Amino acid sequence: MTKFKPKLTRKSAVFIIIAAAALLAVIVLICSGGGLDTPEERAEYLASLGWEVDLSTEEERTVTLPSSLDGVLLTYNELQKQQGFDLTPYAGEDCRSYSYAVTNYPSGESGVIAQLIIHDGEVIAGDIHSSALGGFMHGLQ
């Protein structure tokens, strides 16, 4: 009985290289997490944290962080640090702020807003807050 030994032809070698390159590209895309460039991507990000939002309520604006964090912004950054973010490296930078009405807040309360602060496609801060007088603010999770 003869053992089968597959031959590596030029055609199969090219196929293996192309398949490996495609697999590498998929891995890079998955690991990079992609940017949050569209409202749908931002809504998916918030959904991954348990928040459903109404995309028709999106408010977008440019926010320039001050070169030194102090006062209320320092307190806000403490909230961000509790959830793994830190605004300090972005001091003085222009960022984008996106906010959406939350449609599934556990208490059923209306006027609850999800806010994301994004720099170069990456979330660097975020919160859930109430727009009511004397409202609340907490982290995204």
Side-chain angles (χ1 to χ4, degrees):
M1 186 164 127
T2 336
K3 289 188 176 180
F4 174 72
K5 288 187 179 180
K7 289 185 179 181
L8 185 61
T9 65
R10 183 180 184 136
K11 186 175 180 180
S12 59
V14 168
F15 175 77
I16 290 170
I17 291 170
I18 291 172
L23 180 61
L24 181 61
V26 168
I27 290 170
V28 167
L29 284 174
I30 289 171
C31 292
S32 72
L36 297 178
D37 299 324
T38 67
E40 293 77 18
E41 289 170 332
R42 292 185 288 275
E44 285 178 31
Y45 174 79
L46 289 165
S48 76
L49 300 172
W51 302 112
E52 295 174 16
V53 296
D54 180 354
L55 289 179
S56 71
T57 64
E58 179 183 70
E59 290 187 22
E60 175 184 2
R61 64 177 192 244
T62 299
V63 176
T64 303
L65 296 176
S67 57
S68 173
L69 305 181
D70 56 10
V72 174
L73 199 51
L74 194 58
T75 303
Y76 184 73
N77 197 40
E78 288 305 314
L79 171 67
Q80 299 313 310
K81 286 180 178 181
Q82 292 171 10
Q83 52 185 356
F85 300 125
D86 184 4
L87 293 172
T88 307
Y90 304 98
E93 297 286 328
D94 287 339
C95 305
R96 302 296 297 162
S97 171
Y98 298 92
S99 56
Y100 304 92
V102 173
T103 60
N104 69 330
Y105 199 74
S107 69
E109 182 175 341
S110 62
V112 177
I113 307 295
Q115 176 176 265
L116 296 174
I117 299 176
I118 297 177
H119 184 270
D120 288 338
E122 177 185 350
V123 176
I124 62 167
D127 65 80
I128 304 295
H129 64 270
S130 169
S131 60
L133 186 61
F136 59 84
M137 178 182 287
H138 58 76
L140 294 169
Q141 298 183 8

